[in-house]
Amino acid sequence: MSGTDGPGEPDRRTPDPAPAEPEGGESACWLEKVCAECGAIQDTAPFDRCARCGTVRE
């Protein structure tokens, strides 16, 4: 029993607020944008040749 409620009265405390939603972001799968040779992330997907190292994508 809380200190403000009388005998037999329901507990009138407010429930804890719901936990905050996690912040969203970009999709986790960038595999189509990553160069296998140097790891650079390309501006477009699919890509034919890496803009950083020039490796041809297989």
Side-chain angles (χ1 to χ4, degrees):
M1 174 166 70
S2 70
T4 58
D5 295 331
E9 291 184 27
D11 189 3
R12 293 191 177 111
R13 289 180 290 169
T14 57
D16 292 335
E21 291 290 321
E23 291 187 24
E26 293 189 38
S27 172
C29 186
W30 286 19
L31 188 59
E32 293 295 317
K33 291 187 169 192
V34 178
C35 172
E37 185 66 28
C38 71
I41 297 176
Q42 307 302 302
D43 291 335
T44 60
F47 62 96
D48 296 325
R49 183 176 296 274
C50 177
R52 179 192 288 169
C53 69
T55 300
V56 177
R57 184 164 186 221
E58 296 177 10

